[in-house]
C-alpha cells in the first residue's frame, strides 16, 4: 500500500489542489506544503473549473447566509413584540410624527411614500388622537410618469380615506429630480392632513397637543 506521502505526490502531479488532497487523504495542509513544495503543479480541468466558478459560488453562499440571517432576525424581532397597547401606539405615533410630521406650522400633516408608515400614522391619528374620518384630507404628489387617478385609488385603499376627500393631485415637473426616484415611487407620496371642520379639537389645538406630547417626552428623557 502506498504511503500517504507517495499518494499525495501522485495526486499533486495529476493536478489536484491542496484542499482536495487534504480532504482525500486526511492530511493537514502544512504537511502537504512540506511534502509537495518541489512538485511542479499544473491544475487539472476540474480544479480550473472550480477556480472559475469560485467567485460565483462564494457570492451565492454569501447571499444564502444573508437571507438566512434576515429570516432569523426578523423572526426574533417578531417574537419580541407582544400586543400593542394604546400607550404603545401613542409613543409609536409620536416617534413617527417626530420624523415625518409637520412641526414648524400649526397644522397636523404627515407625509410619506411608504404605505406601511401611512397605515401606522392613520391608526395613530384615529385611535390616539381621536380624529374622525371626516376631518381627514389627502394630497397626492406624483411624477409626470405616474397616473394621478391610479395614485389616488392606491392611497385611498392605504389610508381608508374616501376619494372624495382627496384634494387636487400635485404633479412634480421639476427637471432636476432624479429619474431613479420617479421609477421607485409609482404612486408618489401622500400628504395626510387633518382639518378642524368646525371642531376646534382637530385644528391648531391638536397640533399643539401633539407638540406638547413630544416636548414631554424630551423632558422625561432629560430628567
Amino acid at each position: 500500500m502506498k504511503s500517504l506521502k507517495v499518494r499525495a505526490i501522485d495526486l499533486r502531479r495529476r493536478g489536484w489542489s491542496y484542499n482536495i488532497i487534504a480532504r482525500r487523504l486526511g492530511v493537514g495542509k502544512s504537511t502537504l506544503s512540506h511534502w509537495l513544495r518541489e512538485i511542479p503543479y499544473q491544475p487539472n480541468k476540474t480544479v480550473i473549473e472550480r477556480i472559475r466558478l469560485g467567485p460565483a459560488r462564494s457570492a451565492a453562499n454569501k447571499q444564502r447566509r444573508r437571507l438566512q440571517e434576515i429570516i432569523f432576525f426578523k423572526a426574533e424581532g417578531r417574537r419580541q413584540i407582544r400586543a400593542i397597547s394604546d400607550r404603545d401606539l401613542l409613543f409609536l405615533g409620536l416617534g413617527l410624527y417626530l420624523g415625518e410630521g409637520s412641526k414648524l406650522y400649526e397644522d397636523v400633516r404627515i407625509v410619506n411614500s411608504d404605505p406601511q408608515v401611512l397605515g401606522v400614522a392613520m391608526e395613530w391619528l384615529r385611535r390616539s388622537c381621536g380624529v374622525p374620518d371626516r376631518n381627514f384630507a389627502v394630497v397626492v404628489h406624483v411624477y409626470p410618469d405616474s397616473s394621478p387617478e391610479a395614485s389616488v385609488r392606491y392611497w385611498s385603499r392605504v389610508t381608508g380615506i374616501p376619494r372624495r376627500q382627496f384634494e387636487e393631485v400635485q404633479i412634480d415637473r421639476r427637471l432636476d429630480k432624479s429619474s431613479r426616484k420617479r421609477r421607485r415611487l409609482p404612486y408618489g407620496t401622500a400628504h395626510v392632513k387633518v382639518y378642524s371642520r368646525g371642531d376646534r379639537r382637530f385644528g391648531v389645538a391638536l397640533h399643539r397637543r401633539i407638540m406638547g406630547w413630544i416636548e414631554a417626552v424630551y423632558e422625561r428623557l432629560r430628567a
Side-chain angles (χ1 to χ4, degrees), residues 39-80:
I39 305 300
Y41 176 58
Q42 177 63 45
N44 58 35
K45 291 182 180 180
T46 302
V47 172
I48 291 173
E49 185 66 9
R50 289 191 179 194
I51 293 171
R52 186 180 69 82
L53 296 176
R57 286 176 176 167
S58 176
N61 290 335
K62 184 177 180 181
Q63 176 68 4
R64 184 171 61 255
R65 289 194 299 271
R66 179 175 177 273
L67 291 175
Q68 289 172 343
E69 287 183 354
I70 290 173
I71 293 170
F72 173 80
F73 286 114
K74 280 189 173 182
E76 184 178 46
R78 281 194 292 269
R79 284 193 299 270
Q80 293 172 345

Side-chain angles (χ1 to χ4, degrees), residues 143-144 172-182:
Y143 291 107
D172 189 342
R173 301 186 184 279
R174 288 175 291 176
L175 299 178
D176 60 343
K177 298 294 286 185
S178 169
S179 61
R180 288 187 302 171
K181 183 173 288 189
R182 297 186 186 193

